[in-house]
Amino acid sequence: MIEELLPPGVVAVEAFHDLPDFPLYPEEFEVVRRARDSRRREFATVRWCARRALARLGRPPTPVLPDAHGAPQWPDHIVGSLTHCTGYRAAALARTDDITMLGIDAEPNEPLPACVLETIALPAEQRLVAELTGTAPGIHWGRLLFSMKETVYKSWYPLTGQRLDFEDATLTFSADSPRYTARVRIPRPAPRSPGVHIWEGRWLCRGGLLLTALTVTRNGTGHPEPNARDVALGV
Ligand SMILES: CC(C)(COP(=O)(O)OP(=O)(O)OC[C@H]1O[C@@H](n2cnc3c(N)ncnc32)[C@H](O)[C@@H]1OP(=O)(O)O)[C@@H](O)C(=O)NCCC(=O)NCCS
């Protein structure tokens, strides 16, 4: 499903069940040695997804270890993102020759826990969520907004090394379009900032899941069918 949200050049592999005994590299196992079984299984299954995606990019299997802030570290010239939630695991990878920023996220299509929306959403986003909840109630718009913000973070941090707070990104979206706009207000200049601050991502709701993706291609577009709104609008 996630592949539908990604441009050519991005390889995505997903799983809807955990693999019982997928072998981790010793250094990967060390990361989750003390974790709950469920965490170990999701960690292993998403790395199975990553290894298959790497293979499809013509690259050998390799450990996928987190950096100090949890971001997966990829082989040279590879960019990628991982996600897992109940009933879903996915990896999306690409060559840095094609894609400069890549983030994916999956969430259950369920309400956010109480008070979370107020923590993660700006006032305008809260109004948008309230409006869409009234007009298109089949989708948990607050949870979708959360997923979009996670995707922005997962694509931005590995490129820049810069952490974002929830109020640093403003998301706009509607029930009529599979596209959303992410406007990132950079709190301070990032050493490797791509210099653009508005991107277009994609989302879908299917099978009880909300999926979001954000990619920026080497030529600066957010998706392979560029129009005026697709192109990152540098500020
Ligand atoms: C890190 C974070 C984004 C993970 O998202 P999540 O929805 O909780 O979890 P998911 O299962 O979808 O994704 C987990 C994967 O994200 C990846 N990840 C973790 N930290 C990351 C980071 N700093 N950058 C990129 N990817 C990261 C990891 O691969 C992780 O899987 P793994 O631990 O098995 O390797 C989230 O926990 C977090 O810290 N959010 C706060 C920051 C934020 O979102 N700000 C919003 C700014 S607009």
Side-chain angles (χ1 to χ4, degrees):
M1 295 199 293
I2 196 86
E3 212 154 35
E4 291 177 34
L5 307 181
L6 298 164
V10 181
V11 172
V13 176
E14 59 196 354
F16 297 87
H17 305 282
D18 280 327
L19 305 168
D21 294 311
F22 179 66
L24 291 170
Y25 287 97
E27 55 271 53
E28 289 176 328
F29 184 77
E30 202 48 40
V31 175
V32 286
R33 195 159 57 87
R34 292 195 190 83
R36 294 186 318 273
D37 275 358
S38 56
R39 167 64 177 142
R40 259 209 299 268
R41 280 197 299 271
E42 72 175 16
F43 183 92
T45 302
V46 83
R47 277 157 180 78
W48 172 82
C49 297
R51 303 235 221 291
R52 291 194 64 182
L54 271 177
R56 282 171 54 190
L57 289 168
R59 305 294 291 263
T62 175
V64 181
L65 296 169
D67 79 354
H69 294 292
Q73 298 176 89
W74 302 107
D76 288 348
H77 313 299
I78 296 289
V79 62
S81 184
L82 305 177
T83 188
H84 26 62
C85 72
T86 304
Y88 190 77
R89 286 87 175 85
L93 274 70
R95 295 186 182 87
T96 52
D97 283 351
D98 301 324
I99 302 290
T100 54
M101 275 176 59
L102 170 56
I104 60 169
D105 191 70
E107 295 287 331
N109 183 25
E110 292 170 5
L112 281 174
C115 302
V116 171
L117 184 65
E118 293 70 19
T119 309
I120 64 139
L122 296 162
E125 293 170 333
Q126 292 181 37
R127 286 194 294 276
L128 180 59
V129 166
E131 181 193 317
L132 290 168
T133 302
T135 54
I139 294 173
H140 290 283
W141 295 97
R143 182 75 79 151
L144 182 67
L145 171 67
F146 176 73
S147 179
M148 290 169 178
K149 293 212 177 197
E150 298 290 66
T151 283
V152 167
Y153 181 75
K154 287 177 175 184
S155 57
W156 177 255
Y157 170 82
L159 181 69
T160 63
Q162 188 174 44
R163 302 174 77 188
L164 295 173
D165 290 325
F166 285 101
E167 66 265 25
D168 292 329
T170 308
L171 278 298
T172 47
F173 44 95
S174 78
D176 306 325
S177 171
R179 300 171 184 221
Y180 65 87
T181 301
R183 182 187 306 262
V184 177
R185 289 179 299 155
I186 310 303
R188 56 196 177 281
R192 286 181 287 140
S193 165
V196 291
H197 304 255
I198 301 178
W199 301 285
E200 192 166 271
R202 296 260 171 156
W203 66 273
L204 70 74
C205 174
R206 190 182 301 155
L209 293 168
L210 298 167
L211 302 185
T212 59
L214 181 64
T215 46
V216 176
T217 59
R218 178 60 61 191
N219 63 8
T221 61
H223 200 265
E225 301 150 15
N227 59 32
R229 288 192 58 235
D230 282 322
V231 178
L233 308 170
V235 291

